[in-house]
Amino acid sequence: MGLFPANWYGVYQAVDHLIFGSSTDKASAALHDAEVIRYFKEIETLPGEDKAALLRVIAAFIRDVKTKQTYTH
């Protein structure tokens, strides 16, 4: 038997939702740009494979911008 029960992630998600609200609530609280919020809501509805691909592209773009900023400042 492992350290966590088999359904630990479901329990974690339920507690997280009760304490911090839905992912939409969290995004709205953390993001103030309505256009960004709208796009991320749309991304959430994509099929898993498409969503994962898009998130990889976003992560790579952000990484590249941060790298560029580091070497230009």
Side-chain angles (χ1 to χ4, degrees):
M1 182 171 178
L3 183 60
F4 298 104
N7 66 342
W8 74 271
Y9 189 69
V11 171
Y12 166 79
Q13 285 181 316
V15 170
D16 183 62
H17 181 77
L18 288 172
I19 294 172
F20 300 108
S22 69
S23 58
T24 301
D25 295 336
K26 288 185 235 179
S28 294
L31 300 173
H32 302 288
D33 186 328
E35 186 176 22
V36 172
I37 293 169
R38 182 176 56 83
Y39 280 123
F40 275 96
K41 284 180 180 179
E42 288 184 38
I43 291 170
E44 282 187 323
T45 67
L46 295 175
E49 190 174 302
D50 294 333
K51 179 179 170 180
L54 184 54
L55 292 175
R56 283 192 305 273
V57 169
I58 292 169
F61 182 82
I62 291 170
R63 180 202 62 223
D64 292 350
V65 168
K66 286 182 176 182
T67 300
K68 182 178 168 183
Q69 289 173 340
T70 298
Y71 289 106
T72 58
H73 286 116

